[in-house]
Amino acid sequence: MEAVEYFEVECDEPAGREYYRKIADIVLLDHNLLRVIAKLHIFIDPKIPLFVATGVTRKLPGVVRLRDFADVNKKESSVTISIGDETYLAPLLRLLWEKFGKDRVNQPDRFTVLLTLDQGEQEGLEDLPVFDPSETIYKDLIYVLQVIQPEGFKVRRQYYGKGRFYLVASEDTLPDDTEELVRRKFALMGEEL
Amino acid sequence: MTHVPVTYKGGIYRHDEIIDLIEDLGGYIIQKHVIAQEVVLQALVPREDIELIRKIGKPLTGEITPSPLVGTEIAVVSPSLEIHHLPHASCDVAEYIRRFGAKTNMVGLARGFGKRIAQLNDEERDVINEHDLAVYLLGDFETCIEHKFPVLRRGIEVPIVLCGGPSTDALRKIIDPPVDGYVGGVGRFMHRTKESEEIEKLEEVVAEITRILDRRREELAKDPLSISPARLMDIIAENVDEIHDVLSPTPLTVQMQGLRVKLPYDTFAPVIRRVEVDEGVTIGDLATVAPSRMRDYILVRIRPFSETSVVL
């Protein structure tokens, strides 16, 4: 948890607090999200019961474009794409099929994609945005918080955007002052919602 | 002749000699696992013959170790089978108990999670009651355990070992009426237990189970069963051929007071009741043959001497 600037678990029961500290640490590590989080404050009150997680993300990595992971070799009426990093191959193919149609996209082997494109269509192909990590990262974050929270808290309110995220969960109806509570937890980290 | 539960581990080469030996000495093989080149036998053997088996097994690189839980079936009860409890907390405990010879079944409750909303339905209750002992694996908060445990134990008649995050003393304080065993520090966790202190915790769970089951065995010895479950297992295996076609790892699961027979009840209950144990004595005379709540299995509960006036 060294990578995270601020990490606190707040709970009346000291034993429970230590366990949840460890659980949060391990779950975030397992899902590869420690790098993404700058600050995280978890508040658990087993008496109500209520689970609140508030946090701030680091600057997220930018949009991945075609030239970031592949070489684009243009010829008169065809383009050869040599894939360097397979991670983004699936979203790339889906994009190309959608844009040019399956009959013009040929993949003779794992690392090569051949396109039949005229000059006009070849324009700006390298800058094609393939994958936006920020779209999935918040979803992953909320999923991970649901794994961390005690099980059975089915009533949830969640928010993400502008570098902030929070999740409030309980098994009962959420109290009216949820928003206020979340603001207070953000204030503890020296942040504002 | 008193039988002692043991595990024999050795090479697959000539292991049938060990099996024959145990059977000739009057012992029972409860379970046999063949894992690649290794054979693991869980058996009940006469106490005085352990040295003999050790001697004969030695040239075959066989090792014999006491396994206090051979011949017991234990339920490991988890609030649910969600990622919050699996695989680590539940599987680690279930697996560790298995190493000591017990047959463990994981019981994932349908709605065991939460504090106020936790429930136990009649099927779950009956399934847990079919075991020799139930290990409850609850969470990390005292408040929650105190609130939900009375619901989860309702109607459970078998001994309970309660595991949870708070310390053993804290657990003992919040549970009323008391259960048979407590192990603190084994609550919800999300990592594999491999450090020595975590393994020690698992050892504690096994020690607690062993202590309770030993006491239970002593109680049973005061009014002994009409026939030992292991012997009944052999008799059923000899007389009901269909049991050999069952693909479960333990088609006949030995418990402390009976057996689980993994054959359909409607077809095979009458067959099992009619099986002759000794001249003129059938299984139906010595035991109740009832339908199990687990699938379509049969549960054989052996009656004590005081009811049947027979000990075989």
Side-chain angles (χ1 to χ4, degrees), chain A residues 38-106:
Chain A
K39 294 181 178 183
L40 180 66
H41 185 94
I42 293 175
F43 167 75
I44 308 170
D45 190 342
K47 291 203 177 71
I48 303 178
L50 189 68
F51 173 88
V52 182
T54 53
V56 178
T57 52
R58 274 175 212 285
K59 203 174 172 312
L60 294 174
V63 176
V64 178
R65 294 175 191 279
L66 182 52
R67 71 176 126 106
D68 295 338
F69 65 94
D71 280 333
V72 182
N73 202 346
K74 291 179 184 172
K75 279 193 197 127
E76 254 172 48
S77 61
S78 73
V79 178
T80 312
I81 303 175
S82 312
I83 307 292
D85 180 2
E86 255 186 312
T87 320
Y88 306 108
L89 183 59
L92 172 71
L93 279 175
R94 204 176 309 125
L95 228 113
L96 294 175
W97 288 339
E98 221 171 77
K99 213 167 165 185
F100 305 117
K102 278 196 176 174
D103 47 341
R104 294 168 70 195
V105 182
N106 191 6

Side-chain angles (χ1 to χ4, degrees), chain B residues 219-254:
Chain B
E219 275 167 27
L220 280 177
K222 285 178 194 154
D223 186 8
L225 296 175
S226 308
I227 183 170
S228 101
R231 182 164 170 213
L232 194 60
M233 178 188 83
D234 268 7
I235 290 168
I236 293 177
E238 249 170 56
N239 291 284
V240 185
D241 288 337
E242 287 83 352
I243 199 76
H244 302 293
D245 300 332
V246 177
L247 295 174
S248 304
T250 52
L252 291 160
T253 308
V254 179

Side-chain angles (χ1 to χ4, degrees), chain B residues 166-241:
Chain B
S167 68
T168 307
D169 288 337
L171 286 176
R172 195 165 282 149
K173 216 182 301 166
I174 55 177
I175 302 303
D176 182 50
V179 290
D180 298 82
Y182 305 86
V183 183
V186 187
R188 187 187 154 208
F189 51 86
M190 300 293 282
H191 61 280
R192 226 181 111 192
T193 44
K194 48 188 172 192
E195 281 166 31
S196 63
E197 59 222 59
E198 293 163 345
I199 305 283
E200 263 166 40
K201 279 283 159 202
L202 297 179
E203 291 276 357
E204 246 178 75
V205 178
V206 172
E208 200 71 355
I209 294 171
T210 313
R211 180 179 67 79
I212 294 162
L213 292 184
D214 280 347
R215 204 176 56 201
R216 184 89 192 93
R217 281 194 188 106
E218 272 168 36
E219 275 167 27
L220 280 177
K222 285 178 194 154
D223 186 8
L225 296 175
S226 308
I227 183 170
S228 101
R231 182 164 170 213
L232 194 60
M233 178 188 83
D234 268 7
I235 290 168
I236 293 177
E238 249 170 56
N239 291 284
V240 185
D241 288 337

Side-chain angles (χ1 to χ4, degrees), chain A residues 89-183:
Chain A
L89 183 59
L92 172 71
L93 279 175
R94 204 176 309 125
L95 228 113
L96 294 175
W97 288 339
E98 221 171 77
K99 213 167 165 185
F100 305 117
K102 278 196 176 174
D103 47 341
R104 294 168 70 195
V105 182
N106 191 6
Q107 193 191 9
D109 67 72
R110 246 167 94 178
F111 298 101
T112 321
V113 181
L114 293 175
L115 303 173
T116 322
L117 299 180
D118 55 43
Q119 295 286 344
E121 283 173 315
Q122 291 180 8
E123 205 68 19
L125 194 65
E126 295 94 330
D127 294 323
L128 183 75
V130 177
F131 178 74
D132 184 1
S134 66
E135 269 177 33
T136 56
I137 243 159
Y138 280 117
K139 279 184 197 154
D140 290 352
L141 258 178
I142 297 295
Y143 169 79
V144 159
L145 292 177
Q146 285 176 24
V147 173
I148 294 171
Q149 68 166 55
E151 203 197 345
F153 286 16
K154 305 277 186 197
V155 187
R156 280 194 293 266
R157 184 176 301 169
Q158 63 212 35
Y159 163 87
Y160 52 82
K162 291 183 230 143
R164 308 271 183 282
F165 64 91
Y166 74 74
L167 173 101
V168 185
S170 175
E171 58 179 20
D172 299 320
T173 320
L174 294 177
D176 295 334
D177 59 345
T178 311
E179 189 100 338
E180 179 49 37
L181 186 73
V182 170
R183 271 178 212 288

